[in-house]
Amino acid sequence: MPYVKEVFEYLKRTSPSQTEFYQAAQEVLESLRPLMAKYPKYTQHKIIERIVEPERQILFRVNWLDDNGVIQVNKGFRIEFNSALGPYKGGLRFHPSVNAGVIKFLGFEQIFKNALTGLQIGGGKGGSDFNPKGKSDNEIMRFCQAFMSELFRHIGANTDVPAGDIGVGGREIGYMFGMYKKLANKYEGAFTGKSLKWGGSLARTEATGYGTVYFAKYMLEDRGETLEGKRCVVSGSGNVAIYTIEKLYQLGALPITCSDSNGMIYDEAGIDLGLLKDLKEVKRVRLSEYVKYVPTAKYTPIEAYPEGTNAVYNVPCFAAFPSATQNELNITDAKNLLASGCICVSEGANMPTTHEAMELFIEAKICYGPGKAANAGGVATSQLEMAQNAAKITWSFEEVDAKLAQIMKDIYINSSTTAAEFGEPTNLVLGANIAGFRKVADAMIEQGLV
Ligand code: NDP
């Protein structure tokens, strides 16, 4: 596939400095070599050249007034990447690190993740470099309204359906939906992750974390292993991390770490989930507060992490659940995990593992679930929310959770059988990338050159 190199050259020339996007594209394109060699139709239809180019990119200015009456200006993004399988679908991220390259990598991953769910959803992503930390509730509301005053014209229940991501939870979705409803004059499922009081789905809040643990369970089952009684490390302390910890407890495992961007908690007795929820979902304070309530736990500030490592992955464990952000687990962390006996890594975050670390996991043949497969439960349940909104019905928590577990099982089976079909049965990166790509590519061919 000599032209993969040419596609990279083209991306670097036309989209300069988008390093995260090149990393995500490289991982997918390299996995596709055996598929492209076997099926010339994908080359004939120039699917690779077409799929790396978003269908539409919306960049906009967001003006808002802070509590001191001072004008603030942020950048807004929405990348509508691919609609071959359904309306664009993917979250919004509010974080100072957001730029065009970050949103593009997330949108690109989303295309294949959404395809893997087997549901009718295309790929998109958006966000802003707005930093929600330290902002008052009124400032959050004013920012969300300003953001939506532009985005509303581009989204809709059958066009593009945003959801949450880093820095965007139930509160932000509420403010954005309120503004959407006012400007569009439509009460429709243009967002997922909505409150249960006005159109949300039971189990959507829990879905990404629960799904990541289900994925680990299915990977381990195939090797005759379970999570029961096992020490697990989790990074992050947001939506994905919290519900990963909750499901780990439900399956009898012992989650012993969590983290935020300032440091990490190691609680040998197991993370106190009720306390964590109270600190993060109610009080909205830093994780360092945890040790005030549990003096036996250890807090390590990020400045004290051994150089070049993430201290979460220095803790010996059976399984690891990276649930914070991209490239948080590097080659040294991967070596530390393997040396401590870790045999399972299930990614709740998007692309948390660097390219070299990912290659090491694949080579070591551990149970390695890449984010686009392992964390697809969130977007899958978002689609279940869309289905309930469209039919104006509500399913019970148990119904949604059962559907989520089945979807995660199907994603695992699809990824592992595809990996086996191409001669590397334990390589779920290969399997997930090919399975996701094939579904989108076939749809693009059947829908013609549009
Ligand atoms: P939240 O905002 O709820 O939580 C993010 C957590 O990660 C926080 O603890 C945050 O710490 C930490 N974090 C963020 N950036 C960094 C950083 N640069 N270094 C260290 N820690 C960091 O987000 P989510 O839990 O929703 O998302 C976490 C990951 O999961 C992301 O990669 C997201 O794309 C992915 N994901 C989320 C889905 C969802 O449904 N929410 C679906 C699929 C994937 P702090 O508070 O200090 O910033």
Side-chain angles (χ1 to χ4, degrees):
M1 218 169 58
Y3 68 90
V4 162
K5 198 164 165 276
E6 284 163 32
V7 171
F8 271 114
E9 295 302 316
Y10 165 78
L11 288 182
K12 285 182 179 164
R13 200 174 63 250
T14 56
S15 308
S17 307
Q18 298 190 342
T19 43
E20 290 89 354
F21 174 51
Y22 309 148
Q23 183 184 341
Q26 181 185 8
E27 182 211 298
V28 172
L29 298 194
E30 281 182 358
S31 300
L32 298 177
R33 284 175 196 278
L35 179 80
M36 305 297 282
K38 197 167 166 189
Y39 300 102
K41 65 176 175 176
Y42 299 121
T43 310
Q44 283 156 13
H45 287 271
K46 293 211 172 177
I47 297 296
I48 298 244
E49 290 87 332
R50 290 161 61 193
I51 215 163
V52 296
E53 203 57 65
E55 289 174 12
R56 192 174 301 110
Q57 303 188 62
I58 302 148
L59 306 179
F60 53 101
R61 186 185 67 192
V62 189
N63 300 321
W64 57 282
L65 275 183
D66 69 17
D67 284 348
N68 299 319
V70 176
I71 294 170
Q72 301 288 340
V73 185
N74 286 99
K75 290 182 191 301
F77 302 86
R78 185 72 184 166
I79 298 204
E80 298 181 335
F81 227 119
N82 193 294
S83 61
L85 296 179
Y88 307 106
K89 184 87 197 84
L92 296 171
R93 176 177 291 192
F94 292 169
H95 194 272
S97 64
V98 162
N99 58 40
V102 167
I103 298 298
K104 219 160 152 188
F105 116 67
L106 290 164
F108 188 69
E109 289 279 291
Q110 199 80 46
I111 303 171
F112 308 104
K113 178 190 308 194
N114 294 3
L116 279 172
T117 65
L119 304 170
Q120 273 195 285
I121 34 182
K125 198 83 187 186
S128 172
D129 60 355
F130 170 72
N131 185 0
K133 269 191 213 117
K135 302 291 187 297
S136 70
D137 198 50
N138 278 332
E139 287 176 325
I140 297 283
M141 182 176 75
R142 282 199 296 277
F143 175 80
C144 289
Q145 291 179 340
F147 185 82
M148 203 38 57
S149 70
E150 173 58 35
L151 192 64
F152 88 96
R153 70 187 88 247
H154 306 289
I155 64 173
N158 294 308
T159 318
D160 182 352
V161 186
D165 191 81
I166 290 177
V168 178
R171 175 181 57 167
E172 292 75 19
I173 297 282
Y175 292 146
M176 287 191 277
F177 179 81
M179 196 64 176
Y180 172 81
K181 174 173 70 81
K182 182 180 170 77
L183 294 173
N185 198 22
K186 281 182 192 153
Y187 202 112
E188 56 168 18
F191 274 90
T192 58
K194 299 187 293 297
S195 161
L196 294 176
K197 297 179 193 122
W198 41 270
S201 172
L202 284 157
R204 172 60 189 94
T205 304
E206 294 82 356
T208 307
Y210 277 23
T212 305
V213 180
Y214 287 138
F215 198 83
K217 173 179 177 278
Y218 299 130
M219 288 194 289
L220 288 164
E221 263 174 18
D222 245 3
R223 311 236 182 146
E225 283 281 2
T226 72
L227 285 162
E228 212 174 328
K230 306 289 183 1
R231 286 161 58 94
C232 298
V233 299
V234 178
S235 67
S237 51
N239 171 268
V240 178
I242 288 172
Y243 293 96
T244 293
I245 291 171
E246 182 163 291
K247 183 52 76 178
L248 282 171
Y249 275 127
Q250 287 174 10
L251 298 189
L254 186 69
I256 48 178
T257 68
C258 57
S259 65
D260 65 12
S261 51
N262 295 110
M264 61 94 70
I265 289 287
Y266 173 35
D267 190 342
E268 182 67 35
I271 294 294
D272 182 334
L273 180 62
L275 173 62
L276 183 65
K277 284 188 181 180
D278 187 49
L279 294 176
K280 287 300 185 180
E281 294 182 336
V282 183
K283 296 196 174 87
R284 296 179 186 269
V285 293
R286 305 312 294 157
L287 193 57
S288 52
E289 300 275 306
Y290 186 97
V291 285
K292 284 191 190 158
Y293 301 87
V294 186
T296 49
K298 187 174 175 234
Y299 177 71
T300 309
I302 201 159
E303 306 79 52
Y305 287 8
E307 206 184 328
T309 69
N310 182 339
V312 169
Y313 306 114
N314 273 342
V315 177
C317 65
F318 171 84
F321 295 83
S323 311
T325 194
Q326 64 271 10
N327 293 326
E328 56 160 298
L329 192 167
N330 65 21
I331 182 84
T332 314
D333 299 319
K335 284 179 183 161
N336 286 341
L337 282 173
L338 294 178
S340 85
C342 174
I343 67 150
C344 175
V345 177
S346 191
E347 296 182 342
N350 285 309
M351 206 169 73
T353 305
T354 63
H355 195 72
E356 297 76 29
M358 178 193 82
E359 284 183 334
L360 190 66
F361 290 147
I362 293 170
E363 200 183 298
K365 294 191 166 40
I366 62 163
C367 296
Y368 173 55
K372 67 170 71 67
N375 71 36
V379 74
T381 309
S382 275
Q383 203 277 352
L384 301 180
E385 183 175 329
M386 289 159 74
Q388 292 169 82
N389 291 165
K392 298 188 167 39
I393 54 167
T394 311
W395 293 324
S396 69
F397 190 98
E398 290 69 27
E399 268 175 292
V400 180
D401 191 29
K403 287 183 203 292
L404 167 66
Q406 186 60 48
I407 289 169
M408 297 316 294
K409 190 169 202 169
D410 292 344
I411 294 174
Y412 172 65
I413 291 170
N414 191 6
S415 304
S416 55
T417 51
T418 306
E421 180 190 340
F422 288 90
E424 293 187 47
T426 59
N427 186 347
L428 297 182
V429 174
L430 181 92
N433 284 338
I434 292 184
F437 174 87
R438 188 150 58 177
K439 183 136 195 255
V440 182
D442 288 343
M444 286 171 74
I445 292 170
E446 285 171 15
Q447 290 170 17
L449 191 58
V450 289

